[in-house]
Amino acid sequence: MIIKSISIENFKSYYGSNNSFDFSEGLNIISGHEGSGKSNLFDAFMWVLFDRISGMKRNERLSEDNVKYVNDRIKNEYFIGKLEGKIKCSVKLDVIIPHEKNRHYQIIKEKIVFLKNNHSGDSIFDRNVWGYENSELIVKWEDSNYNTNEKFNENARTELDRIFPEKIRKYIWFQGEQLNELLDFENKDTLEKAVQYISYLSVYRNMKTVINETHRLLGVKVRNRISANNRDAKKYDRFSNELSESEIEFEQNQSLKVKKEEEYEALEEKEKTQNEKLTILAGFPELKSKEGLLMGKVEDLKNQVSHLGSQEKSKFVKKWMLKGTDKLLTTAAEELTKFEKYRLSLATENKKQFSEGVPGDTLIKEILKLKKCTICGRKVEINSKEYKLIESHLDKNKQVKVLDPEIDNLHGKVMNLKGKPAQLIYRIKNIDEEILLHNETIRGKQIERNRNNKELSDVREKIKELVREKGHDLYNLNAENINSTLSRIRGDKERIKRQIDKCNREIILGESKISRINSEIRGLKNPGDEELVEEKLLKYTEFLKFVIENQTQKEKIDLVQKIEETANEIQKNIANINNIVIVYVKIDTEDYTIRFVDAKGQPNSGHGAQNTLAKMSIINAIIKLSNVKQNKEYPFIADAPTSDFAYEFTSRFFESISNTYKQSIIMTKDLMTEIDNYRNKDFVIKVFEICKDASEEIALTTNSITVIK
Amino acid sequence: METYEDKILNSFSDEIRNDELEEDILKKLLSNIVNKVILYERVGDIGLDQIAKQVTNGLISETENL
């Protein structure tokens, strides 16, 4: 595949539709300062081919409501009302497929966004400001009759996978800064899948099926021919039946073995998934326990706030009601005071009357009883003027006596009541302060609750991030359940392994049985019979069965060794003139584990440029071997591959890339004064320079593209 | 230019030497199987068992005509 051009419209820093790069075969370099849009160009490739942009985790896809990658300047123009309608954000690739007679394809990714009516956001960065239509993938081409064909979305993805298989597509990427996000070098599946794809193993597998079946069919034909000419028909029939049964049994055992091996593989996959879940659980107990702790705290604070709230209702409502009666209470207190004053004045007046007008009660009572004055001895006549006067005074005294207890009683009551309004008024007087204090307490609890809630939501966000990254629902993970599933899976694996072993034994026995019966049948041939054609051909298919078995084993080992050799060769070519110490790639031919070692074979993963170079060389080796073995060429697209390299390394690296690939597109740091040197190098076919248009305002930035060579 | 089919056939070059068998027949048989399997992988319109039948019948008639 050769990429003819990429056209970018309103994607990331590429504003408008006038952003195209026309590439050539050979090495294409795109140079620019930091932040000039090189990585955004790389992202444009990623978006159209993988529906991803850099910074995303492996296997993560863009969500439809994420419109961050739509150019900010165009969004701003719609936001301020300068433009109206819908914004189209698109990336279009024009490619040529040499192994399809140079057929021309267009691969287009499009996203439509628009300003929502009545949105409440106050910036273009608010997510709720933008509405969207789901993104579309379109693949277009012209067939040999000049008819235009178009496929959309799922169908387009199938078409894309045909012209540019994802299995190899993912190896064409190289982003120095995010290398480990693009390929998982620690996972042996990474290399195993690459080997499966670039090798001839799938062809060999199908060839093996055809050869086995051809061999069986030839065997049937041989038996039928012998049977027709044979003198000992009964014996032949018996052998023939026995052979048919054995062959059927043999086939059944082989099919059962394949089925059981598939089941075993599926169980291994499940085991791997469960182990991964356990790792996730074991790796993040801190987050889980923190979440539990915060949930408890938040719940506790929620209860405290709710308790204080209900307390407020019961405690303050009565006081609030009383607060409305404070004037009435003051009046009551004043009335009571007035009444007390009046009572006191009344009592004083009576006392005065008694002390001024008559002698003491006891003395008067004595005089009236004796009917003579106890002081002068004079007789007191009933109904006399003096007696009546004394009696009338005594009546007053009686009245006073009657009045006193009532007044005293009332006095007590008044005294008792007198304090109440004051107490109530005092209580009401403090209610404002009390409520203020209470509210302060509630607010304190609410702040603490909100802080814990925020912390909880941060922890949950981290957990979500992990869920997204690892693809498992952490909330539903339970170590006990996982372990019990794992032990069940392991039990099943052992059982199936025993079944596979049994199948293998049966297959070996079956093979020897079939071979014995065949020789018995051949022994039944009439003397003098010539060798049958089918019989002769059986020797060929027998031999091919052996050949394909050997070749399958050889292919896998050879390819792993070739990846290792090629990777180390690429490294040496880049490093030898600079006397750079490299770390060597070592790949296990059995389980595809990648190791990095020093010249003495000791483990050494290297650092910085060493490690990047080693990993990059593996990727380059895979693509190089794929191109050679599949007879298909795919480009190498890299962003900042030299960011770890010393400056003198870069030129050597470019030369190595140009020798490895029919086409490569490299985005690299600013070449500055070296640009002329690169322009004059034969191995550099095209050089572009991209610049960010000077503007401090992020919403107004855009790129300009200049072709230098 | 070496085609994809050639490359696969050539991958067997070290393995298919056998003094007891005729090289021509062996190469033809292998080539026939490789071509049909590659076509099967690209088009997939008939199954592998049908391909085996075609290979068997073709092989017998060709050998008889030799």
Side-chain angles (χ1 to χ4, degrees), chain A residues 446-459:
Chain A
Q446 279 172 336
I447 289 170
E448 201 180 338
R449 184 195 61 194
N450 291 346
R451 202 186 58 235
N452 280 289
N453 242 338
K454 169 84 179 53
E455 213 175 317
L456 179 64
S457 105
D458 286 349
V459 168

Side-chain angles (χ1 to χ4, degrees), chain A residues 207-239:
Chain A
M207 283 176 71
K208 189 178 165 184
T209 309
V210 171
I211 291 167
N212 285 345
E213 181 62 9
T214 306
H215 187 74
R216 194 187 69 80
L217 289 171
L218 283 170
V220 171
K221 284 186 188 288
V222 168
R223 290 196 300 277
N224 290 344
R225 291 280 288 271
I226 293 174
S227 169
N229 305 327
N230 206 277
R231 58 183 175 188
D232 198 348
K234 270 190 183 171
K235 218 173 183 182
Y236 173 80
D237 283 349
R238 185 164 57 81
F239 281 135

Side-chain angles (χ1 to χ4, degrees), chain B residues 15-32:
Chain B
E15 294 287 328
I16 58 162
R17 293 199 183 99
N18 188 315
D19 296 339
E20 292 172 17
L21 303 174
E22 285 175 46
E23 199 179 335
D24 271 1
I25 297 177
L26 202 51
K27 279 188 174 169
K28 266 190 184 169
L29 175 58
L30 193 63
S31 162
N32 194 10

